[in-house]
Structures are given as structure tokens and as C-alpha cells.
Amino acid sequence: MRRFFFLIAFISVFSLNINAQVDLEKLLYHPWVDSVFNSLTAEQKIAQLVWVNAYSDDNYANQDKIATLIKNYNVGGVIFFKGELAKQAQLTNLYQSLAQIPLLISMDAEWGIGMRLTDVNPLPYNMELGATRDLELVKRSAAEVARQMKIMGIHMSLGPDVDINSQPLNPVIGMRSFGEDPELVTNSGLAYIEGLQENGIMAVAKHFPGHGGTTSDSHYTLPVLTYDEEHMKTVELYPFQKTTEKGVAGVMTAHLHVPSLDADEGIPASLSPKIVDGVLRKQWNYKGLIITDAMNMKGASNYGDPEQINVKALKAGNDIVLYPIDAAKTINAVLDAIKKKELSKEDIDLKCRRVLAAKLWAGLNQKHIVETENLQEEINSPKAELLQRKIIESSLTLLKNQNNLIPLKKLDTLKVATLSVGQEDITPFQSMLENYMHVEHFNLPEVFTQNDIEKLKGELKDFNLVLVGIHSMYKSRNYRLIKLGDGENLPPRNPYGVTEELEELLEYLSLKKNAVVTYFSSPYALGEIKNLKKAKGVILAYQDKPLNQELAAQMIFGGIAAQGKLPVSIPGTYNVGDGLTTEKPIRLKYTLPEEVGINTHRIKAKVDSIVYSAIDQEAFPGCNILVAKDGKVIFQEAYGYQTYDKLIPARQSDIYDLASVTKVCGALPCVMKLNEQGKFSMDEKFSTYWPDWKNSLFHKSNKEDIIIRDILAHQAGLIPYINYYTQTMENGKLMPKYYFPEQDEQYSLAVAPGLYLDEGFKKDIYKSIRLSKLNPKGKYEYSGLFFIIAPELVGNLSGEKFTDFLYSNFYRPLGAYTTMYNPYGKFPMARLVPTEYDSNYRKRLVQGTVHDEAAATLGGVSGNAGLFSTANDLAKMLQMYVQMGNYGGEQYISASVMKEFTRVQFPENNNRRGLGFDKPLLDNKELSLEDAYPSPGVSAASFGHTGFTGIMVWMDPENQLIYIFMSNRVYPTRENNNLSKLNVRTNILQAFYDELDK
């Protein structure tokens, strides 16, 4: 059965692009190779086969040593290890300037040069690539590694690792492998090689003949592979044979003993002529470079005298001695071996020509200087981060999803706790979760006690869902395994640190609480969990990095879909290929502008320029901006400060007064819902639903016949605004009969903290509206009078309190927990952005209560103003609008109602408005930037609203774009109108359209 499986694997193996194959044999006698070869002394030819280790950290002694070796011996190459970008670039230029023959620069950079350099963001591990099952992603990852290397003057990547990791306790390969399926590993390896080599970087397949089945680490000892010859041929050797057939530039030999291939006692494969020369050269007819693993590793160095071991490596068939303990002594030892006829001069000459051919392929016949300016920005590009995100997103593996719990739905039914184990501070996982709904955070250290568990049980008793992140099993993993006194390496009992306490905690969470457990660890760590399948949801995220954490959180809520498949088995629980999928995303995703084709640096520079210029001109002290495209939040920034005294910086968690945006996000969704339910018709007289507008002998009204559609399109003739509060004042002071310092049944309308208005004043407000002047119908004139009445109207028609109807139908199920009326006292004051110092009515700084005086007289709950929100929570409502009423897998408002309310109602009256919503000018596309509204780029299908305090929202279903601008431009006074004069909000909006057009 096994042999049949591998026959299928052979048939379906990935085919390497011909342009990505490296054929060094064709270049062995190239004129440049001939010229260089003929210029070398015998010693220098040997030196080309010796590649030395270099560091760009503060190891100055090593740097001086390498420079001396280059000058005195003309060594062939340098392998860089730990350090930083700028220093490595400087050293590369220095070393190349010292070299008579250009150096071939290599790096062991399996997950990018960030594997070695501290100021570079590393790409995901091979095992994550294997989990994606996406060969194009594998190739793109390698192409990114190649891009980074080219910038840094590196010519060879000592990868990919094509070991088949069949041993869960393997201490040295593990996550470096693409998996345990030979076909998956081989195809992934070939895709990776293609990504490197077609982009000008030589690839090296390692660790031949296969290091994936070992239980010890060749850095510290000589591992032994006990597999028989048949297994070696069909499993361990398979990816190496295929990569050599397809034109990989190099193969790295491993320091491990394989008795079935060479029975000589204790001989490492790297030093075995039967394995290196016998299999690679003779059986497979491989013509590329053969490179030893680092010769300072104990798997090789324990075999004998260091210099003689290096001689044996060349004699075995290796072309390159990598990282010798002493390069100078090695060169002399090889010279001596040639004199003693232990090595042939012809064999050394051929090896030297292979090295020179590799240098020619790498372009070293031309001089190249590594540019040292802006390296970090160029290497750590947004496109590189986007690729990291894409790989991680595609790798996240959903192993258990009881009753399709993930993605979470019906958020209003959930009371959610988050728990991070192994991190005492709030994690990126927890922070991302709170973007989707209100959650409460709990944390346990890596080592916790029974008392900690009991305390946690009490804290979690009122929650019906716990989202758990296990970070400790990644931190505890000891990849170098416990070293015993006799030099052997044995695996510890629980190498991933699963303690009895952790087992008990997971048992409790799985059986007593609804729990989704995300493991930020190697899949092998899950093998230590006794009752892995008991949780309602199980997610494997592979690494404990911030991006893995953030994307796992997004998957739980449906910001991204589950796609990953296990690249290895978890004994007794899951098999290779296991992994559940979820449907397309249902909620906002948080990502980079590049994902929708926008350049991060360019758009940020544009927005920064507009905003900072406006702040300098005191248009506002600070602001929040959020933009989403195609359901993806691509821009989310806070600028400036909450006030001009610069005491509190603006933050993305700030809560702003939405002013008139309340009309379209507070009153209007309720009106649309009632319309959908058949309780409120747009073509009916408003007086049908609001009898106060009916006219009678003793009840005067000039508004009985006004049609609702005209009201919501702002052409019913209603006047714009009434200052109701002035009726409660005399000589600039509040009249005591209307107000009381404490709230009770009579004085229930909260105007401000410690200031409550008589509930009966509502009737005076409604009467003022009824008796107000009525202008001729049919002409667009913006009015907020209907929206003053809207909360009472919604309550009458729905049979519910207005805020209950609004919250239960929209904001609670949307997870928008900061979007509310009267947030004062519900959040820390530092989150509530001050609006204006009110010197006319409330005689105080308005903060956390509504700025609009009309809404204030209604207790802060009105349809014209009064809502507060963060930009993030407001975005959920706007995204629902853009998606024609659908969000989070639920249809909040029917698409037909959304389309009706967002279309222009009366273009024949030169009226651009929808029903409640603002719209672009009718001839908007024909106008200049200065004359267009809101900007020339918006589509005719778009809609939105602005707010007096400095707010703007705009939605464009045609371009799937939402835009939020929040500021407190009225601070400290509304007399400041620089925000509008400078066209800040609309210019920023247009900047995004400009970028979309590029």
C-alpha cells in the first residue's frame, strides 16, 4: 500500500520551470570561469571550496578574522549569521572589496533573512507553508526571500529544508519541514526552489539524505537513522532525488549516520563516499554543488581531527566545506592530502570550477555594491508583510468546530471572556478579539497553580463563551532538548511544557464552559494534550507571533475564512490533511492597503500631509480616520490630541460625539426596519403615524398632509432647526422650574451630569415643531425636525423603547458596544473626547454627553444627534449598509429597502438626497475637486452624512468603500470652521479614490 501511495506521488510531482533550473555543467568552461580558474594557485583553488562564517553583530574579532582570511587565502564564500541589515551590508561591501575573486555570499535563511537579522520581519516557517496547500504561496514566499537577498548582495539561500519530518520529537527540524507527506514536501520544496532560482538566488536542498526522522540534534551529537533501504529510497531520499532532477543549484549533506546506506560504524552521511558520491553523483548523476552542513557541528566534529574531517568531506564528494573550525588549517590540510594522493588534483579542480560556475550564474562576473540607505524600509516592505499575512491566514487550521460555532454569530447572545495562558499582559490575540465585540480579558502566567485555576473558575462563571489562547506551549519548547552528562540527547517527557495544571484547566474549559482554544504552537505540541478534542473549537496557529495571534482572532469572528490543513499528524487525534473550512468572510478584516491595491506609504503620506496641515492650522486638535475597502479595514489612524493642551494623545479607542451622523446611524436604521416590517410607509402622510400633526378646530397644524418621503428627502418645507433650550432660560440663566440637580421620575432628561430637565418638556418640543413655520414644498432644505420626533415615533410603532429597539436590532448583534447614547459614566473619561465648552446653555465643557442642544433637551437621546462611537464600531454599521443590509451572516435590513433609501429621490427638483442619506451632487462627475461633493471620485450610488462636531461618514457600494472621519473641530468653540474651509474630510476621501485609480 505504501509503495502504491508513493507511485502516485511520483506521478503528481511539481514540475520546475525550466528558467528556474541551475545547470552549472554548461558553465564549467565558460570564458570567465576559464580566465579566473587559470589565474588561481593550487592553494587558492582549494580556498574557493572553503566558505567561512561571518556575523554582523558586535563580534569584531570574527569580522577581523574573516577579512584576514579573504585577503590572505581568497576563500570562496561567506555564510552570514546573526546581525543587523546595515552592518551586514557594510561588511558585505568590505569583504567583496578585499576579495581577489568575488565572494559567493550565502545565508541560512529558511524563513527569510529575518531568521538571522534582528531588524527584519521573518516570513512564516515551512510548516505553515505546508499547511496552506498552496504552491503558488510557497513560490511567492521564496521569491520574497530572493528579493531580500538580492538587496543584501546575497547569492545563495541554504534552503529549502526538504526533510520529511516523520518524528514528532525531532529536536532540530520540526517546523522547518513542510510536513510529513513526501508528496507535499517534495512539491513544496520544488515550488520554493523555483521561487528562489527564477529570481536569481541559488537554492540548496537540505539535509541530505534526510534529517526528519531523527530524535537527536546533529549540532550536539550524531543522530542515527535506522530506516531500511527501501524506506530511505521511497521516503527520506525522495524529495532530494526530485529536486536534483529538476535542477536545484545545491544540496546540503547532513551529519547523521544511516546504516542502511553506509554500514561503516559511526560515519556521518556528510563524510560518506557511498552516500555523497555514490548516491548523489553516480546514481542520480547530480551536477550541481554539494555543500556540507556546518563542519563545527558535533555530528561531524566528533568524528575526528577537524582538518582531517574536512578533507574527508571533500573526498566523500562534497564541493564545499561550510563553516570549518579553522579555515586556514583546512586549506593546508587539503594541500597536504593532494600531495599524499589522498585527494586528486583533478577532483579539486572540478570542484573549483563548479564554484566558479555558480559565481558566474549568480552574476559575480560583474561588480555589485550593496546600497546601505533605507534598507529597513525596503526589506520590511508592506508587500512583504502582506505576504506574511496571506501565508499565516491560509495556514490557520481549524481542527474542531462543534455545531459550526466558528465564525461566531448572534453576538448579542454571547458574553465572552478571553483567556491568554502564558502571557501576563493583554496579547495581540485579545486586542484583536475586542475589535469585534465587547470582551473581558483574563491572563495566566506560563506557570500557574491550582489556586489560580480556582480563582479563574469564579471569574468566568457568568460567561457563556471563553476564547482561549495557549501561548505557553510555544515558549516552553526546547528545540535543543536536554543535554545529558554523557553527551547524548534525549527528549524530555513533555518538551512543550504541558503541565498537570494546564491539562486540568483545558479539561474544565472544555467540559464546563463553551471554549474555543487556539494553540499558538507547533502541531506536535498538541500531541501532549490528553483531551484535545473536547473543546467546542480547536484552532492551530503554528507560531506565537503577533500576526498569527491577530489573524487567528479574525478567523474566530469571520474576518477571514478557515483554510489550513494539517501538514503533519497528531498521533491519536488528527491526521495529515485534517482541517475544516469555513465559508467566505462575514465580518470586517483588518489588513494592509496593499491587499486592495493601494500603496501604504503613498496613501499614508497623502493623508498625513492633509491632517497635519489642518492640525497646524487648528482646524481640530486631533482626529480618527478609518477606511475599509471590499470588507477590509485598510487604514485606521489616530492623529494629534484630544485637546489643544496636548495632554491626551488621540487614540483609535477614542469615543466621539457623532452629531448629525446620528440621523443615519440612529434614527434611520430603525425607520428602515419599520418600513421593512410594513409599519411605516414612505408614501403615507406623516400625520398618520404622528397624530400631533393632524389639524383640528382646537389643534392647529400646518403639517397634516406632509408625506414622509418628502420629509426624509428634505423637501417637505420643514425649517432646519429650533433652539428649544432657550425656552427654559431667562436672562441667560436656566429657569429652576425646569431643572433639578438629581435625576428622578419627573426630572428624567439628562442634559448633563448633575443637570436634569423635566420630562414634560418633551411636549413643549413637539408642540414647537408642530407650530413651526412651513416653507413651500419641493425645494431641498435640510431639516432635523423629523429626527427630533423619531425616537418617540419608533417607540410607538415598535412597542419598544427607542434605544432598546436600536440596540437589539443593530448594535448589539453587530458587536458595536461603544456605539450608544449617553456614554458618560460607562467608559473612562480619557476615552470620551471633549467636544465644546458650552458657554450658553450648560456652562461647562461637554464631554461624554451630547453636544447638540436640541438633543440635550431630550435627555441626550434623539434622532438628530446623541450617538457616540469609536470609528471601529461605527464601521460595522457602515459596512452593513454598503453590503445592502447584510453583515456577520445576518440580514439586518432587506436589500430592497436599502436600495430604496440610498437612491436619489427627486432629481427633477435638483435634489440630490436619498431618504435620510446624503448623496453626491447630481452632476458630481463633471465638477472639479473644489466644486464636487463630497469628492469627484465617489460613485453615484454612494451615500453618507456629515456631523456638526467634525464628523463625516461616506459609503460607496459600487466601490465597496467606507470612510469615517471623526474629530472634535468644535473644541473649544464652534466658531472655528477651518475644517470645512480647508476641505479636510473630502480631500482625504478623494485621496483614497485617487489611489484606487492607480
Side-chain angles (χ1 to χ4, degrees):
M1 186 68 181
R2 174 180 284 275
R3 297 184 70 174
F4 174 76
F5 170 80
F6 287 113
L7 175 62
I8 299 299
F10 270 74
I11 291 171
S12 59
V13 73
F14 181 92
S15 182
L16 198 66
N17 186 319
I18 191 70
N19 295 323
Q21 297 182 31
V22 176
D23 187 349
L24 297 182
E25 192 170 31
K26 289 182 178 179
L27 302 176
L28 288 177
Y29 297 95
H30 184 279
W32 183 84
V33 173
D34 277 342
S35 174
V36 175
F37 178 81
N38 291 329
S39 72
L40 299 176
T41 65
E43 182 184 65
Q44 289 173 330
K45 289 174 184 176
I46 296 167
Q48 287 297 299
L49 314 183
V50 177
W51 294 2
V52 294
N53 56 299
Y55 301 84
S56 57
D57 60 2
D58 292 333
N59 192 336
Y60 296 113
N62 175 266
Q63 293 167 18
D64 184 62
K65 174 185 171 183
I66 300 304
T68 301
L69 285 169
I70 293 168
K71 285 188 293 184
N72 293 349
Y73 290 92
N74 202 29
V75 293
V78 168
I79 172 174
F80 271 105
F81 288 92
K82 62 182 179 179
E84 296 180 348
L85 281 168
K87 185 63 176 178
Q88 179 165 319
Q90 292 166 7
L91 283 175
T92 298
N93 288 335
L94 172 63
Y95 292 159
Q96 292 288 22
S97 72
L98 297 173
Q100 176 185 330
I101 308 302
L103 294 161
L104 197 148
I105 307 295
S106 64
M107 182 178 273
D108 187 358
E110 297 168 30
W111 47 94
I113 62 177
M115 178 179 175
R116 301 297 178 187
L117 303 181
T118 58
D119 49 353
V120 177
N121 298 324
L123 288 156
Y125 289 148
N126 281 358
M127 193 161 284
E128 290 170 272
L129 287 167
T132 71
R133 292 300 197 276
D134 187 335
L135 296 182
E136 184 58 33
L137 263 185
V138 176
K139 181 179 174 181
R140 285 174 55 194
S141 182
E144 174 57 27
V145 176
R147 184 189 73 87
Q148 296 176 5
M149 288 187 154
K150 294 286 274 189
I151 293 170
M152 294 299 295
I154 302 169
H155 314 107
M156 175 181 283
S157 175
L158 298 177
D161 187 318
V162 293
D163 297 309
I164 295 166
N165 202 83
S166 55
Q167 171 52 257
L169 291 177
N170 191 311
V172 68
I173 304 301
M175 296 285 284
R176 299 164 65 189
S177 169
F178 291 107
E180 68 180 53
D181 175 359
E183 183 178 1
L184 170 65
V185 171
T186 302
N187 287 337
S188 298
L190 287 168
Y192 197 99
I193 290 164
E194 183 171 281
L196 287 174
Q197 294 188 170
E198 73 176 14
N199 289 285
I201 297 296
M202 286 178 282
V204 176
K206 65 183 185 186
H207 305 83
F208 173 83
H211 211 320
T214 65
T215 56
S216 55
D217 184 349
S218 52
H219 289 85
Y220 299 103
T221 190
L222 180 67
V224 179
L225 275 183
T226 59
Y227 298 131
D228 61 28
E229 187 176 359
E230 178 66 13
H231 176 93
M232 289 299 300
K233 286 180 179 178
T234 57
V235 181
E236 310 298 324
L237 289 170
Y238 174 58
F240 294 99
Q241 184 174 5
K242 289 301 163 186
T243 54
T244 55
E245 287 176 0
K246 299 292 185 179
V248 66
V251 173
M252 177 179 285
T253 57
H255 307 314
L256 46 88
H257 181 46
V258 189
S260 62
L261 298 182
D262 188 340
D264 288 357
E265 185 176 351
I267 187 170
S270 56
L271 306 183
S272 167
K274 293 179 182 178
I275 296 175
V276 181
D277 187 58
V279 176
L280 275 173
R281 292 292 187 212
K282 290 187 171 64
Q283 288 186 30
W284 295 355
N285 195 32
Y286 179 57
K287 304 296 184 181
L289 283 174
I290 302 177
I291 306 168
T292 69
D293 205 343
M295 294 303 290
N296 70 327
M297 294 165 60
K298 296 299 183 183
S301 63
N302 284 346
Y303 194 67
D305 176 76
E307 286 70 53
Q308 291 307 310
I309 291 171
N310 296 334
V311 170
K312 288 179 182 293
L314 293 174
K315 189 174 181 180
N318 294 282
D319 298 304
I320 305 300
V321 174
L322 187 70
Y323 201 155
I325 293 174
D326 191 314
K329 288 182 179 180
T330 295
I331 294 167
N332 291 327
V334 174
L335 270 173
D336 190 53
I338 294 172
K339 291 175 184 176
K340 294 178 179 178
K341 307 296 186 183
E342 295 173 7
L343 284 172
S344 73
K345 175 181 177 299
E346 291 73 22
D347 192 29
I348 295 298
D349 286 351
L350 179 58
K351 294 177 190 295
C352 179
R353 281 187 176 274
R354 283 197 191 103
V355 173
L356 295 176
K359 291 186 176 185
L360 175 62
W361 188 92
L364 283 169
N365 56 326
Q366 303 289 329
K367 188 175 182 180
H368 175 70
I369 301 296
V370 180
E371 298 294 336
T372 57
E373 297 294 321
N374 303 316
L375 279 174
Q376 271 195 294
E377 292 79 4
E378 195 171 357
I379 296 289
N380 296 314
S381 69
K383 285 187 177 180
E385 183 184 333
L386 182 63
L387 178 60
Q388 292 178 56
R389 287 174 171 272
K390 182 62 178 174
I391 295 168
I392 295 167
E393 178 182 334
S394 300
S395 72
L396 294 173
T397 306
L398 180 60
L399 294 173
K400 177 88 178 286
N401 192 17
Q402 186 171 313
N403 299 324
N404 294 316
L405 177 63
I406 298 168
L408 300 180
K409 295 179 180 170
K410 300 190 180 301
L411 302 187
D412 52 330
T413 68
L414 301 177
K415 187 173 183 184
V416 178
T418 77
L419 172 63
S420 281
V421 180
Q423 297 284 351
E424 298 187 47
D425 296 323
I426 300 303
T427 62
F429 175 64
Q430 292 172 301
S431 296
M432 181 57 71
L433 290 171
E434 68 184 23
N435 275 339
Y436 289 97
M437 68 176 294
H438 176 64
V439 296
E440 294 188 33
H441 301 310
F442 300 89
N443 292 66
L444 284 174
E446 182 176 359
V447 178
F448 55 90
T449 65
Q450 184 67 39
N451 288 338
D452 294 325
I453 296 175
E454 293 305 316
K455 179 184 177 185
L456 183 68
K457 287 179 181 179
E459 293 171 329
L460 296 179
K461 64 183 177 65
D462 294 330
F463 294 92
N464 60 8
L465 179 65
V466 184
L467 303 178
V468 187
I470 305 296
H471 309 266
S472 56
M473 289 163 58
Y474 188 86
K475 292 200 302 181
S476 296
R477 177 54 166 135
N478 177 8
Y479 274 98
R480 298 308 184 199
L481 296 186
I482 297 172
K483 185 176 181 182
L484 303 180
D486 59 1
E488 294 183 7
N489 292 283
L490 299 174
R493 184 172 61 85
N494 281 341
Y496 290 94
V498 177
T499 62
E500 291 181 3
E501 289 79 11
L502 180 58
E503 286 277 19
E504 180 182 338
L505 174 66
L506 291 171
E507 178 89 359
Y508 164 73
L509 292 169
S510 298
L511 296 180
K512 301 298 183 181
K513 310 294 293 184
N514 282 325
V516 174
V517 184
T518 304
Y519 293 90
F520 299 103
S521 68
S522 157
Y524 297 121
L526 276 60
E528 294 182 15
I529 305 296
K530 294 175 184 175
N531 298 301
L532 180 61
K533 289 188 173 183
K534 288 187 177 180
K536 301 297 187 294
V538 177
I539 298 167
L540 175 62
Y542 297 94
Q543 290 198 69
D544 193 27
K545 292 184 176 181
L547 273 180
N548 295 67
Q549 294 186 41
E550 291 172 6
L551 287 164
Q554 294 193 46
M555 191 180 83
I556 290 170
F557 279 96
I560 61 175
Q563 306 172 58
K565 303 291 182 183
L566 272 179
V568 296
S569 57
I570 301 171
T573 50
Y574 294 105
N575 299 315
V576 174
D578 283 352
L580 304 170
T581 58
T582 56
E583 296 180 4
K584 64 181 182 180
I586 62 171
R587 291 192 177 88
L588 286 168
K589 176 182 182 178
Y590 297 83
T591 186
L592 302 178
E594 276 71 14
E595 188 160 347
V596 298
I598 293 177
N599 182 285
T600 290
H601 295 312
R602 196 162 55 230
I603 189 60
K604 191 168 189 313
K606 285 184 177 182
V607 177
D608 286 359
S609 176
I610 296 169
V611 172
Y612 287 127
S613 175
I615 290 175
D616 288 344
Q617 297 177 70
E618 296 195 343
F620 47 82
C623 67
N624 259 256
I625 300 169
L626 184 148
V627 177
K629 172 81 170 73
D630 299 332
K632 303 171 179 69
V633 176
I634 59 166
F635 193 94
Q636 195 172 10
E637 294 284 345
Y639 293 89
Y641 293 82
Q642 289 188 0
T643 57
Y644 289 113
D645 56 18
K646 299 184 178 181
L647 294 177
I648 302 177
R651 294 157 299 189
Q652 293 176 18
S653 59
D654 285 345
I655 298 171
Y656 283 84
D657 184 331
L658 300 186
S660 283
V661 169
T662 301
K663 294 180 174 70
V664 296
C665 292
L668 203 58
C670 297
V671 168
M672 287 191 281
K673 192 71 176 177
L674 293 169
N675 177 248
E676 179 185 332
Q677 295 171 350
K679 297 178 180 179
F680 195 64
S681 171
M682 294 304 100
D683 296 309
E684 187 62 75
K685 294 178 181 179
F686 182 65
S687 59
T688 303
Y689 307 105
W690 190 252
D692 189 52
W693 280 16
K694 288 185 180 293
N695 193 23
S696 68
L697 183 62
F698 302 104
H699 189 83
K700 299 297 181 182
S701 174
N702 54 3
K703 301 177 179 62
E704 181 175 22
D705 297 326
I706 294 178
I707 303 300
I708 295 170
R709 189 177 299 274
D710 288 317
I711 294 174
L712 288 176
H714 295 280
Q715 64 165 37
L718 298 176
I719 63 173
Y721 195 80
I722 300 173
N723 280 324
Y724 312 104
Y725 77 95
T726 59
Q727 301 173 35
T728 70
M729 300 183 72
E730 191 173 64
N731 298 323
K733 294 183 179 180
L734 301 178
M735 298 168 66
K737 70 175 183 177
Y738 287 105
Y739 296 94
F740 199 68
E742 296 178 5
Q743 191 172 32
D744 60 21
E745 195 170 316
Q746 179 180 350
Y747 296 95
S748 62
L749 302 175
V751 174
L755 186 63
Y756 300 93
L757 180 61
D758 192 320
E759 174 75 22
F761 188 68
K762 279 186 180 180
K763 293 181 180 178
D764 294 337
I765 293 172
Y766 301 148
K767 181 179 179 181
S768 297
I769 295 173
R770 173 168 54 83
L771 297 178
S772 64
K773 175 185 174 183
L774 189 65
N775 292 323
K777 174 188 171 184
K779 180 182 178 183
Y780 167 53
E781 185 176 20
Y782 182 82
S783 173
L785 298 191
F786 161 80
F787 294 95
I788 296 289
I789 296 169
E792 186 107 2
L793 174 72
V794 170
N796 293 342
L797 295 178
S798 68
E800 296 181 52
K801 185 179 177 183
F802 166 69
T803 49
D804 290 345
F805 187 79
L806 175 65
Y807 297 165
S808 64
N809 280 286
F810 298 100
Y811 290 116
R812 290 194 191 108
L814 282 169
Y817 70 98
T818 65
T819 310
M820 62 169 60
Y821 288 93
N822 290 320
Y824 181 86
K826 301 179 179 70
F827 297 93
M829 288 299 288
R831 289 190 67 184
L832 303 174
V833 179
T835 45
E836 182 184 16
Y837 185 85
D838 181 4
S839 58
N840 294 319
Y841 179 28
R842 286 155 286 191
K843 314 292 186 182
R844 68 185 74 189
L845 176 65
V846 178
Q847 183 177 10
T849 58
V850 65
H851 171 266
D852 179 83
E853 294 90 349
T857 60
L858 289 165
V861 179
S862 176
N864 78 307
L867 270 183
F868 287 72
S869 185
T870 60
N872 182 71
D873 277 351
L874 186 60
K876 300 166 187 175
M877 187 73 160
L878 305 192
Q879 188 64 33
M880 180 268 286
Y881 280 165
V882 159
Q883 294 174 178
M884 293 294 106
N886 189 281
Y887 186 77
E890 297 182 40
Q891 194 72 36
Y892 288 84
I893 302 168
S894 72
S896 59
V897 169
M898 281 299 311
K899 289 175 182 176
E900 177 62 18
F901 273 68
T902 57
R903 74 172 178 87
V904 175
Q905 299 293 308
F906 298 102
E908 67 276 12
N909 292 343
N910 197 30
N911 181 351
R912 70 175 190 265
R913 305 291 295 215
L915 293 175
F917 290 106
D918 200 359
K919 297 281 291 179
L921 293 173
L922 297 177
D923 57 350
N924 200 54
K925 287 293 184 183
E926 303 167 14
L927 301 176
S928 65
L929 175 62
E930 292 74 21
D931 295 329
Y933 178 81
S935 72
V938 302
S939 76
S942 68
F943 52 93
H945 216 282
T946 57
F948 185 78
T949 55
I951 310 294
M952 181 178 185
V953 300
W954 205 262
M955 295 145 276
D956 191 338
E958 187 174 300
N959 289 290
Q960 282 295 297
L961 186 80
I962 67 170
Y963 168 66
I964 298 172
F965 180 94
M966 290 180 163
S967 76
N968 54 336
R969 70 97 191 164
V970 295
Y971 181 87
T973 169
R974 68 186 67 190
E975 300 307 317
N976 176 9
N977 198 29
N978 286 342
L979 177 68
S980 294
K981 290 177 181 176
L982 296 171
N983 293 321
V984 175
R985 295 172 289 186
T986 54
N987 286 347
I988 293 171
L989 175 60
Q990 184 56 38
F992 281 90
Y993 280 99
D994 291 342
E995 287 301 308
L996 287 173
D997 288 340
K998 290 183 177 177

